[in-house]
Structure formats: structure tokens, C-alpha cells
Amino acid sequence: MSPRHLALAVVIAAVWGFNFVVMQTGLRHFAPLQYSGLRFALAAFPALLFVGRPGVAWRWVAGVAAAIGVGQFGLLLVGMRAGMPAGLSSLVLQTQALFTVLFAATLLGERLTARRLTGLAVAFCGLVLVAFDFGVSGPIGAFALCVAAAAAWSVGIIIQRRAAPPDSLRFMVWVSALSTPPLLLMSFLLEGAPTLDAPLEGWLSLAYVAFVSTLGGFGAWGFLLRRYDASTVGPYALLVPVFGMSSAALVTGEPLSWPTVLAAALIIAGVLYSGSRPRRVRRSPERLESTLARPA
């Protein structure tokens, strides 16, 4: 990657990491499902009027909206409202890689290699360490909701992989549009009549997650994916919990215990190792020629 594009990838990770602190701020003024619905409503309108059709079958858009829009963000924000800290949420959400590999093997028949299994085992150890450390002092139900959000995200990733949208920003705008009605309906049924009398801080939080994180982040990420392989761009997403945890510590004073730091190292290392490719042994021309000349 060029230095400019590398810097862009780091900035996107920082935007997405800080997003957890911003969401925690917004949850002081909005109910979780209402906040999610308003976030996607702002991301979809008026952008929906300018982006054109999604470019894939509507069932794929609806599937990703259900898994990511309603499932991931609905569960995540309910979990954060129930007591899951912002920085820790950004870390636990990265365990979607574990679920993605497992679901891809189960649903798509993808092969589980020894490297992937080793990486998953290391990341799972980190997740167990987080659960143990947080379970001692925090509500385990909030942690479970965040893990469920990671699982829902992985389902959305698999659906989006099957859909292969030609334009990730356009696709995300339509996903946002289809996520809005069920979230707002669920908010009305479960959280009561909506209130829109939030202070400026709440609306600025919504503006950040809708325009900067959702539209800006996914648009820039799609820009990078159109120019580089996913294996080149993807690892930079592992910087999200780094920025999430550090910004939460700086802005909200969220403590960083040594078990959390160790868990972060295990999860990131495990995800990175499971998604990497083994280095191929390069043969010298003489050895390659002798191999090709060898009879079967």
C-alpha cells in the first residue's frame, strides 16, 4: 500500500475504534434500539436518493440488514447499555472472526486448516480470559450480548461475501435503509414511545456514527478494497480494538487491567494468525527442474 493509503487505513481504524466511545455517550440520551434505528435512518437518508440500486439481489440486502443492522448493532448497544464498557466491547466484537470461520466451515463447506484451528484456539483463550476478568466485576449478561453481537456480525459477513456487492458504500446505504424500520418498531414495542428531546451531545453522537463511522468509514474502506486485496487491507481492522480501548481509557477513564491487555494480545494474534497464509518454500531453479524431471 502507498503511504497515503496506509494512513487512510489507520485513520479508518481510529474512526471505528473511537466509535465505541461515541456510542457510549449517545446511550446516555437514547434507548439502545432507538439509537440504532436513528443511526441507520440518518445513514440512509438522504443518501438513498443519490446512490442508485444496491447492485445485488434484495434478499442479500435484507439478510445483511437483519444480521448486522438489527442483530449486531441492536445486541451490541443493548449490551453496552447493560454495562459492557466501550473499550472492552470493541475488543470482544473482534471475536466475530472465530464465528465467521466456524460458520463458513458449517454453512459453506470451507476447510478448517490446522493454522485456522490454532489461531481460533488462541483467540478463544483470549475471549475466555475477558469473560473471567469481566465476570468478576461486571454483569455477565452484558458480556454475553456482546458475544452474540459478534456472532450476528459473522453471519452478516458470510451473507455479504455471498452477495459480493459491487459498491460497498451503496450496499451499506441500502442495508441502513432496511435496518431502520425493524429497529424503530422494536424500540417502540420494547422501549416505549420514542423521545427526541436529547441534548446536542446526543445528536452529535448520532451524526458521528451515521456519517463519519458508517458512511465515511465504509466508503473509504470500500475505496481501499477496490485497489488492494482483502488480505492487504483486512489486517488493519485489527487496529480497531487498539484505538477503541485506548480512546476509552483516555476519554472515559475505562481501566486497562493486565488480563484485558493479555486477552487483547491473544485475540488479535489469534485472528491475525488464522487469517494469514503460510509462507511457501521457494525452490531454487535447479531443484525445481530436478523435481519436474522426476518420474511420477
Side-chain angles (χ1 to χ4, degrees):
M1 294 177 67
S2 69
R4 184 177 61 178
H5 291 161
L6 189 151
L8 178 61
V10 174
V11 168
I12 296 170
V15 166
W16 284 344
F18 186 63
N19 192 50
F20 289 85
V21 174
V22 175
M23 289 190 297
Q24 191 173 61
T25 301
L27 288 174
R28 300 193 196 118
H29 311 291
F30 296 98
L33 296 176
Q34 181 193 17
Y35 185 82
S36 298
L38 292 175
R39 171 225 183 116
F40 288 116
L42 290 176
F45 305 100
L48 197 67
L49 304 176
F50 304 101
V51 297
R53 297 173 67 85
V56 298
W58 289 108
R59 67 179 183 277
W60 300 124
V61 184
V64 174
I68 293 181
V70 179
Q72 177 197 346
F73 286 103
L75 291 167
L76 171 65
L77 289 174
V78 172
M80 291 179 67
R81 184 67 173 264
M84 192 68 178
L88 202 58
S89 297
S90 70
L91 174 62
V92 173
L93 207 59
Q94 290 302 313
T95 60
Q96 57 81 17
L98 284 76
F99 294 105
T100 300
V101 172
L102 294 175
F103 290 159
T106 304
L107 302 176
L108 304 180
E110 294 187 4
R111 189 165 60 94
L112 282 176
T113 63
R115 175 178 287 265
R116 284 188 172 182
L117 288 173
T118 302
L120 291 179
V122 172
F124 183 74
C125 290
L127 181 62
V128 171
L129 184 58
V130 171
F132 177 79
D133 183 50
F134 182 71
V136 173
S137 57
I140 195 64
F143 172 81
L145 286 169
C146 197
V147 173
W153 185 13
S154 69
V155 174
I157 289 173
I158 291 176
I159 297 173
Q160 188 169 350
R161 185 189 301 174
R162 292 292 300 272
D167 187 319
S168 59
L169 176 59
R170 188 195 316 165
F171 183 76
M172 182 50 60
V173 169
W174 280 103
V175 166
S176 299
L178 268 64
S179 300
T180 300
L183 281 168
L184 292 181
L185 177 60
M186 291 169 60
S187 173
F188 178 76
L189 295 176
L190 300 175
E191 298 169 341
T195 58
L196 300 177
D197 57 346
L200 180 61
E201 180 185 62
W203 290 105
L204 288 176
S205 168
L206 273 172
Y208 180 93
V209 298
F211 302 127
V212 180
S213 177
T214 303
L215 294 183
F218 279 98
W221 196 254
F223 168 83
L224 293 176
L225 288 174
R226 287 193 296 270
R227 285 157 177 78
Y228 302 96
D229 293 336
S231 60
T232 300
V233 180
Y236 289 94
L238 295 176
L239 293 174
V240 171
V242 175
F243 285 111
M245 296 172 68
S246 58
S247 60
L250 291 172
V251 177
T252 69
E254 181 180 326
L256 281 176
S257 63
W258 71 262
T260 300
V261 175
L262 178 58
L266 289 172
I267 291 174
I268 293 174
V271 170
L272 190 61
Y273 183 77
S274 66
S276 62
R277 296 180 180 179
R279 183 179 299 176
R280 294 180 178 179
V281 178
R282 297 186 61 184
R283 299 178 176 178
S284 64
E286 295 80 4
R287 183 172 181 179
L288 179 59
E289 183 178 343
S290 64
T291 303
L292 293 175
R294 186 179 305 160

